[in-house]
Amino acid sequence: IPLYTHPQYGPPEAAAESSREQVAEGYKALKTDPFWEEMGKYHTARMNGYISPKGVRRGAEIIAAIREAVGPDIEILIDAHGHYDVASAIRCAKALEPFDLTWFEEPVQPESLEALRQVRESVGIPLCVGERLYTRFGFFPVLSQGLTDYIMPDIVWTGGITETRKIANLAEVFHIPVTPHDANGPLNIIAGAHTMMSVPNFYRLEMISGWMDNYNACIEPKLDIRDGYLHLPEKPGLGFELNKDFL
């Protein structure tokens, strides 16, 4: 299963160095939030959705440094965390358009399709949404109205393996890639990986390599990641046992 991972957030030089390290480990796709320095403090308590011109410029500087560090062939993904109003989301995306990005994720909060549509019609970067959409019924209007280029259901939040497979089937009808939001724990990653093994429109699976020690402390055997790919065991079920003493 091909993965994407996250370099460390930080100033341009630190973000670039972390990105180089991830690429050296074999990862071909990296996701970051270059606007976190200003907007991270609002992460789960969104205020008015505004980011300053300085914050936008700072984000562009970080992505410019990462692109220069990793070269033209590594995919760069942006997570906007739904922080923005429509105007700010558009300003941020347009500032990053020169850097050949794979997607701009969750530009606005998930409740308004009209807000998403305005961003969609105004920017030149593919969009990714869906970690806060639930069941295939929540994904259908986004897909049927052509409002995204990728979807990222969370296998836990949306109802498990069966519902995630149904969402993937639905997205296949619209030729939209599926890329599960699977960063919150080892079973989340493992269940997403097993499900995606049978999904033809699968793109990549999310994994935060910096959390690897925590992931592996929870399970046996350890996650087998080589050159940016997760290799699943051939044991029954999910193929792993929980370390109940650690938990």
Side-chain angles (χ1 to χ4, degrees):
I1 286 288
L3 304 170
Y4 72 82
T5 191
H6 300 238
Q8 293 182 1
Y9 292 175
E13 299 81 6
E17 180 58 30
S18 179
S19 298
R20 276 192 291 265
E21 292 171 356
Q22 304 286 13
V23 170
E25 293 179 11
Y27 293 100
K28 301 296 191 298
L30 309 174
K31 186 167 83 174
T32 190
D33 180 356
F35 308 109
W36 185 262
E37 193 173 289
E38 179 174 333
M39 301 301 289
K41 58 188 174 183
Y42 304 123
H43 185 43
T44 59
R46 178 184 179 274
M47 302 301 286
N48 61 10
Y50 174 78
I51 183 172
S52 70
K54 180 180 179 180
V56 176
R57 290 195 303 272
R58 180 67 163 175
E61 291 169 359
I62 290 171
I63 297 303
I66 291 175
R67 174 56 76 200
E68 182 177 359
V70 302
D73 297 328
I74 299 300
E75 298 185 58
I76 299 176
L77 295 59
I78 304 300
D79 192 349
H81 293 111
H83 285 161
Y84 304 104
D85 58 34
V86 169
S88 293
I90 292 171
R91 285 194 296 121
C92 289
K94 284 190 171 297
L96 301 182
E97 284 180 357
F99 304 112
D100 188 23
L101 302 178
T102 297
W103 77 46
F104 193 84
E105 176 186 321
E106 275 206 316
V108 292
Q109 291 286 307
E111 292 84 2
S112 174
L113 292 182
E114 289 308 312
L116 182 60
R117 189 189 319 280
Q118 290 183 69
V119 177
R120 174 75 160 164
E121 293 173 349
S122 301
V123 305
I125 302 174
L127 300 184
C128 178
V129 300
E131 69 181 71
R132 289 184 281 175
L133 298 176
Y134 309 113
T135 80
R136 57 201 182 278
F137 300 101
F139 281 87
F140 180 74
V142 174
L143 293 167
S144 63
Q145 296 178 41
L147 299 181
T148 191
D149 301 281
Y150 296 83
I151 61 166
M152 53 180 314
D154 185 293
I155 197 164
V156 173
W157 296 343
T158 200
I161 288 173
T162 299
E163 189 62 29
T164 301
R165 189 67 170 83
K166 291 178 179 180
I167 292 167
N169 291 154
L170 176 64
E172 186 181 2
V173 173
F174 296 94
H175 301 285
I176 294 295
V178 180
T179 173
H181 175 260
D182 279 343
N184 289 322
L187 291 186
N188 203 355
I189 294 169
I190 293 160
H194 277 289
T195 308
M196 292 299 107
M197 290 289 262
S198 63
V199 170
N201 50 319
F202 166 59
Y203 163 60
R204 291 180 183 275
L205 187 72
E206 182 172 21
M207 201 278 303
I208 301 177
S209 56
W211 294 359
M212 188 67 66
D213 289 344
N214 290 330
Y215 293 152
N216 285 332
C218 295
I219 56 172
E220 179 64 38
K222 293 177 170 50
L223 295 175
D224 180 8
I225 296 176
R226 288 172 266 154
D227 293 326
Y229 284 79
L230 172 62
H231 296 258
L232 292 170
E234 297 182 358
K235 297 179 180 179
L238 295 180
F240 293 83
E241 299 293 332
L242 287 174
N243 182 345
K244 295 179 181 178
D245 291 338
F246 173 81
L247 295 175

